[in-house]
Amino acid sequence: MHAPARDSIRVAGARRVYQVRGGAELVALNNVDLTIRAGSFVSVIGPSGCGKSTLMRLVAGLESPDQGEVTVSGLSPKDAAAAKLLGLVPQAPALLPWLSVLKNVTLPLRVNRAASRKRAAVPGPSMEELLRKAGLQDAMHKLPSQLSGGMQQRVAIVRAFGLRPEVMLMDEPFSALDEFTRESLQEQLLDLWDELKSTVLFITHSVTEAVRLSDTIVVMAPRPGRITDVIQVDLPRPRGAELLKTPEFHHYEDLVRDRLRGAFHANAA
Ligand code: ADP
Ligand code: MG
């Protein structure tokens, strides 16, 4: 919807092999090609061990491919990370327990000059405004331990988006949360994405979550880790709770489930 025709993430022919015990090789990713347009929301779904997190680590510049190439906004992932173009939300919120919520989200701006320069260069809401929008106005001066898991993850998401990265990488950020908290965080994530126009690469195990959030769903299969399907989700936005009950929404859920099943059985064959 707000996607200019510019590539944000490009993965070409990526292969990643790990040495495992006994000297054997484990092909975590093989021949992965993926192009993501700036501003789009892309989910990656697939069974455990199919290489989702490995793919994300390559895009984040935390690891390099053994073959192939990865670029983020035309830069190597390491350069993109150094320029603070990349934001990361892990599965657990990773907040500093001795700092208030407000101090946690503003910490990167206080200790990292590149982060504060990047943020100053791109106009947008302040951290306080983002916290208020995320329903955290009463939590700003509390410690993380005084918040529920869902609220802590909300803080981590605000902190990451507040730096206004061009690319946001999220590895199963809602998987530890209950269904209600999850749905409310999905809505807030979509609001933030809409406001800040980041490209989002989002890993999930949930078919419903992938369909609700994404422009594009990438289906992966294991052994070797690879992309088996790319599905465009042609549903209107905004995607409120009512949309989840429509036949169109169920159509996409069924489609993704079928493709996941296909990806799973491709290995047994
Ligand atoms: P996913 O996130 O889809 O569950 P991962 O990307 O974490 O999958 O892992 C893909 C495969 O690579 C798995 O079989 C995993 O055990 C293996 N793997 C991941 N990281 C390492 C590592 N550092 N050393 C050895 N094997 C690894
Ligand atoms: Mg993983």
Side-chain angles (χ1 to χ4, degrees):
M1 51 167 327
H2 48 57
R6 190 165 62 80
D7 291 340
S8 176
I9 300 174
R10 281 180 59 87
V11 179
R15 179 178 166 88
R16 182 78 178 108
V17 179
Y18 294 113
Q19 307 298 324
V20 287
R21 254 185 303 169
E25 292 195 329
L26 190 150
V27 182
L29 289 178
N30 192 42
N31 203 18
V32 168
D33 292 316
L34 181 64
T35 301
I36 299 180
R37 280 182 162 196
S40 60
F41 198 120
V42 177
S43 290
V44 178
I45 195 165
S48 281
C50 70
K52 302 181 295 296
S53 295
T54 303
L55 175 62
M56 189 157 281
R57 286 196 299 273
L58 296 185
V59 175
L62 299 171
E63 285 180 29
S64 300
D66 297 300
Q67 280 174 34
E69 207 191 2
V70 181
T71 58
V72 177
S73 297
L75 302 172
S76 75
K78 284 200 172 75
D79 288 346
K84 298 291 157 194
L85 303 184
L86 277 166
L88 199 62
V89 178
Q91 205 166 327
L95 304 172
L96 295 175
W98 59 87
L99 290 182
S100 71
V101 164
L102 184 60
K103 289 217 162 113
N104 259 289
V105 298
T106 54
L107 183 69
L109 297 172
R110 286 182 282 126
V111 302
N112 187 306
R113 212 174 291 155
S116 56
R117 254 202 312 268
K118 169 77 176 69
R119 188 172 200 278
V122 187
S126 69
M127 286 293 191
E128 286 90 336
E129 276 173 77
L130 288 177
L131 285 171
R132 266 193 293 276
K133 277 189 187 163
L136 290 162
Q137 61 278 7
D138 296 332
M140 273 194 225
H141 303 291
K142 290 188 176 160
L143 294 174
S145 60
Q146 295 173 280
L147 308 183
S148 67
M151 282 171 95
Q152 291 185 24
Q153 192 59 310
R154 208 169 284 189
V155 174
I157 291 169
V158 165
R159 176 176 61 183
F161 271 99
L163 299 174
R164 301 201 255 286
E166 287 176 24
V167 172
M168 182 63 82
L169 306 175
M170 307 180 81
D171 194 347
E172 299 187 36
F174 303 152
S175 61
L177 307 175
D178 65 75
E179 187 75 18
F180 293 114
T181 308
R182 201 175 173 126
E183 280 195 17
S184 118
L185 282 184
Q186 288 166 1
E187 268 164 36
Q188 287 185 350
L189 171 58
L190 288 176
D191 286 347
L192 277 169
W193 171 66
D194 198 47
E195 174 149 8
L196 299 168
K197 319 279 185 227
S198 301
T199 308
V200 179
L201 182 59
F202 186 95
I203 296 180
T204 181
H205 270 125
S206 160
V207 171
T208 306
E209 181 164 276
V211 173
R212 180 178 195 183
L213 297 175
S214 314
D215 297 316
T216 305
I217 299 174
V218 174
V219 181
M220 292 183 68
R223 292 178 295 277
R226 64 201 189 277
I227 294 175
T228 50
D229 266 293
V230 177
I231 299 165
Q232 302 301 329
V233 182
D234 193 10
L235 290 170
R237 292 186 190 270
R239 297 194 184 153
E242 284 305 305
L243 181 75
L244 275 66
K245 300 179 205 157
T246 62
E248 293 75 20
F249 193 88
H250 293 146
H251 158 79
Y252 279 106
E253 285 183 309
D254 291 345
L255 181 65
V256 174
R257 274 198 195 96
D258 285 346
R259 299 290 169 84
L260 269 173
R261 219 170 282 129
F264 202 69
H265 291 305
N267 295 286

